């Protein structure tokens, strides 16, 4: 059975009766994932308007918590509460009550390491790049106070709302996009905690920094192929990649261990990047899926697998020729075996086989007992493109589909899936 994701503004602005009616049109949805705390993202992303929202055409996430929780200010680390939140405007409680007589299971969706965090201890818990600059709004998985904060939040979410199953997202290091495109988000983390951990593991921190700075310089000088070769062949960079993967897997393992000490019924699902990019952001499928019964990743072929590929290429390259060279190097670095130009990618995205390819890689890399949800792009594409992606997901090693996302999808996309299901072609 498939799932679909909701944002708080869907619940507050549209109301659950309309949302429930639209979800029923999809026919096979069992799981509904309401976002509990937002990231800094335009809704819809990167362009478009919310088709059914009666209040706003576009919503900009501000990294706030949309659940009623006690203040953790005294503990030194907290997430800013959504200013419009109240007992009457509590999206998680609204959806819980609305779904009591519906055949859907609600699994709250939490962004863990990215958001508008605050508190006296914040500066000691942020991600730092290779040049010593802080990456705003990103918590480090090796920082000392992050798990303490999330343990309290999970316990208090359970006390108020009663949910024991959650999907956790943003369990990684920054990518190159966000509020703005900036690849230095990739060159992390070199906070004091990470550097001390590297030293304990006998990694040469200065050599890693030098190797990454050389890599960055090659990209700035538009030596794209040389930059790829440098990263692939440099032992210090490869050790740093492994360090980040171990750090994220270790963080998730410790978080799950802590919350299950409080309530052993807690079940954590994972929202990951597709395997084309996940390894570079600290996500190791083999390690992470030993910790969780289910995952969702997003092989959105029209949007480059969820990555802002065009934003990155535009940042790195100016002329058409440079952009083609940068895109060729990008495909090589991320092991994307598709014979297409950057111009074609801009017009069409990756070939549809990207969906099945990524799902099959996820299955090969994951624990055999982990259920795989293939994220299905449900915005900025035609009904025929949507059904094409659904079929590709169904004809892959994925177990289920997960539509992203409710509020961004035009009516004709719901109608297309309804027609597809009613014809019995699934």
């Amino acid at each position: 059975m498939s799932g679909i994701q909701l944002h708080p503004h869907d619940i507050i602005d549209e109301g659950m009766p309309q949302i429930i009616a639209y979800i029923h049109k999809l026919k096979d949805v069992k799981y509904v994932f309401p976002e509990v705390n937002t990231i800094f993202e335009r809704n819809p992303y990167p362009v478009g308007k919310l088709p059914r929202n009666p209040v706003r055409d576009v919503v900009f996430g501000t990294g706030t918590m949309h659940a009623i929780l006690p203040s953790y200010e005294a503990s030194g680390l907290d997430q800013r509460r959504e200013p419009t939140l109240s007992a009457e405007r509590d999206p998680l409680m609204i959806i819980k009550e609305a779904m009591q007589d519906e055949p859907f299971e609600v699994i709250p969706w939490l962004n863990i390491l990215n958001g508008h965090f605050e508190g006296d201890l914040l500066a000691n818990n942020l991600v730092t790049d290779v040049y010593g600059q802080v990456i705003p709004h990103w918590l480090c998985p090796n920082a000392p106070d992050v798990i303490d904060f999330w343990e309290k939040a999970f316990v208090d979410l359970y006390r108020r709302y009663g949910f024991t199953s959650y999907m956790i997202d943003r369990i990684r290091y920054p990518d190159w996009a966000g509020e703005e495109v900036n690849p230095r988000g990739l060159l992390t983390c070199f906070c004091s905690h990470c550097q001390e951990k590297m030293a304990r593991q006998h990694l040469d921190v200065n050599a890693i920094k030098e190797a990454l700075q050389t890599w960055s310089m090659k990209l700035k000088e538009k030596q794209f192929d040389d930059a790829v070769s440098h990263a692939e062949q440099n032992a210090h960079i490869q050790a740093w990649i492994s360090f980040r993967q171990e750090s994220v897997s270790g963080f998730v393992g410790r978080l799950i261990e802590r919350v299950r000490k409080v309530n052993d019924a807690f079940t954590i699902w994972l929202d990951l990047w597709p395997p084309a990019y996940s390894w570079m952001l600290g996500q190791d499928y083999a390690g992470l899926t030993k910790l969780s019964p289910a995952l969702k990743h997003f092989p959105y072929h029209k949007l480059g697998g969820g990555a802002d590929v065009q934003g990155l290429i535009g940042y790195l390259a100016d002329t058409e020729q440079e952009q083609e060279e940068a895109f060729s190097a990008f495909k090589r670095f991320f092991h994307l075996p598709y014979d297409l130009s950057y111009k074609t990618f801009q017009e069409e995205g990756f070939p549809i086989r990207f969906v099945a390819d990524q799902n099959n890689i996820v299955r090969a890399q994951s624990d055999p007992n982990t259920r795989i949800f293939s994220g299905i792009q449900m915005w900025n594409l035609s009904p025929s493109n949507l059904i094409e992606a659904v079929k590709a997901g169904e004809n892959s090693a994925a177990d289920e589909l997960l539509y992203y996302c409710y509020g961004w999808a035009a009516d004709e996309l719901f109608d297309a899936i309804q027609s597809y299901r009613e014809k019995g072609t699934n």
Side-chain angles (χ1 to χ4, degrees):
M1 302 297 287
S2 59
I4 191 165
Q5 291 175 300
L6 298 173
H7 289 89
H9 55 76
D10 300 320
I11 298 167
I12 296 298
D13 294 349
E14 289 190 43
M16 288 307 302
Q18 176 166 297
I19 292 171
I20 289 170
Y22 271 84
I23 294 176
H24 274 296
K25 294 177 74 170
L26 300 179
K27 298 299 183 182
D28 73 336
V29 167
K30 178 180 178 181
Y31 304 102
V32 179
F33 300 86
E35 185 184 42
V36 181
N37 57 339
T38 61
I39 57 174
F40 295 88
E41 179 180 64
R42 183 190 192 279
N43 292 272
Y45 179 84
V47 295
K49 293 184 177 181
L50 299 168
R52 288 174 303 282
N53 191 305
V55 180
R56 298 170 280 189
D57 288 336
V58 176
V59 172
F60 289 90
T62 55
T64 51
M65 175 65 73
H66 290 248
I68 294 178
L69 299 174
S71 171
Y72 308 126
E73 182 180 359
S75 300
L77 187 63
D78 203 350
Q79 184 166 21
R80 181 172 184 260
R81 303 297 185 268
E82 171 56 36
T84 62
L85 187 67
S86 68
E88 295 73 32
R89 293 172 60 86
D90 179 352
L92 197 54
M93 187 62 75
I94 290 170
I95 193 172
K96 177 188 176 181
E97 293 175 349
M99 292 298 196
Q100 287 180 351
D101 297 321
E102 295 292 334
F104 308 122
E105 181 178 348
V106 176
I107 300 180
W109 156 37
L110 289 165
N111 296 295
I112 298 296
L113 296 175
N114 182 216
H116 186 136
F117 300 103
E118 53 194 14
D120 293 341
L121 299 179
L122 177 61
N124 194 40
N125 288 272
L126 291 171
V127 166
T128 304
D129 71 15
V130 71
Y131 302 104
Q133 296 177 297
V134 163
I135 304 297
H137 308 306
W138 279 92
L139 300 178
C140 176
N142 290 319
D145 305 301
V146 180
I147 288 180
D148 288 344
F149 161 69
W150 278 112
E151 179 184 351
K152 290 192 286 285
F154 272 110
V155 169
D156 288 325
L157 284 167
Y158 172 70
R159 286 172 176 164
R160 176 169 174 81
Y161 302 99
F163 296 108
T164 56
S165 293
Y166 296 85
M167 181 171 71
I168 59 172
D169 195 358
R170 297 282 161 142
I171 42 171
R172 57 176 176 84
Y173 290 94
D175 62 297
W176 54 82
E179 291 182 272
E180 61 180 9
V181 175
N182 190 343
R184 74 180 177 88
L186 288 173
L187 306 179
T188 50
C189 177
F190 292 90
C191 68
S192 61
H193 314 294
C194 282
Q195 293 195 66
E196 290 168 5
K197 185 176 180 179
M198 289 181 199
R200 289 195 302 271
Q201 296 181 5
H202 306 292
L203 301 179
D204 189 331
V205 178
N206 289 329
I208 292 173
K209 289 181 178 179
E210 290 175 5
L212 290 174
Q213 289 169 0
T214 297
W215 185 30
S216 177
M217 186 56 63
K218 288 179 180 293
L219 291 172
K220 288 179 181 178
E221 294 174 351
K222 300 180 173 48
Q223 299 173 14
F224 302 119
D225 278 331
D226 284 349
V228 171
S229 297
H230 173 74
E232 290 178 339
Q233 297 168 11
N234 188 281
H236 298 295
I237 290 179
Q238 295 302 311
W240 165 78
I241 290 171
S242 297
F243 171 83
R244 301 204 322 160
Q245 292 176 358
E246 182 274 328
S247 295
V248 170
S249 295
F251 170 84
V252 173
R254 292 192 302 276
L255 176 62
I256 292 173
E257 181 181 16
R258 288 277 290 274
V259 298
R260 284 184 178 163
K261 283 182 179 178
V262 177
N263 185 333
D264 61 9
F266 272 113
T267 300
I268 305 297
W269 294 17
L270 308 175
D271 192 331
L272 304 177
W273 270 49
Y277 314 115
S278 59
W279 59 274
M280 184 61 194
L281 303 177
Q283 293 179 339
D284 168 45
Y285 274 83
L288 287 168
T289 56
K290 291 175 181 158
L291 306 169
S292 175
L295 70 87
K296 169 252 180 179
H297 75 120
F298 42 95
Y300 308 148
H301 66 293
K302 289 290 182 179
L303 289 176
D308 188 355
V309 179
Q310 294 189 45
L312 178 62
I313 299 302
Y315 183 96
L316 295 174
D318 301 315
T319 68
E320 184 175 324
Q321 179 62 32
E322 288 173 353
Q323 290 176 351
E324 291 291 350
E325 292 172 359
F327 184 62
S328 178
F330 177 91
K331 290 189 296 177
R332 180 183 153 209
F333 184 69
F334 289 111
H335 311 292
L336 297 165
Y338 306 115
D339 184 17
L340 77 163
S341 67
Y342 182 57
K343 186 171 188 289
T344 301
F345 172 80
Q346 288 177 293
E347 296 169 353
E348 303 175 9
F350 287 131
I352 187 62
R353 61 175 271 218
F354 177 81
V355 176
D357 287 349
Q358 292 297 295
N359 282 323
N360 295 342
I361 293 170
V362 171
R363 179 75 282 163
Q365 293 182 355
S366 298
D367 186 281
N369 296 316
T370 300
R371 293 168 65 197
I372 298 168
F373 285 76
S374 175
I376 299 296
Q377 179 184 342
M378 208 180 176
W379 80 103
N380 285 352
L381 79 177
S382 68
S384 61
N385 291 151
L386 173 61
I387 298 305
E388 187 180 41
V390 167
K391 290 179 179 178
E394 291 175 338
N395 294 322
S396 72
D399 301 297
E400 319 279 0
L401 307 178
L402 200 158
Y403 299 106
Y404 191 96
C405 54
Y406 167 83
W408 301 4
D411 284 11
E412 62 262 26
L413 299 182
F414 282 91
D415 294 340
I417 294 177
Q418 181 181 29
S419 177
Y420 177 68
R421 296 296 176 209
E422 289 177 343
K423 290 177 181 177
T425 49
N426 57 320

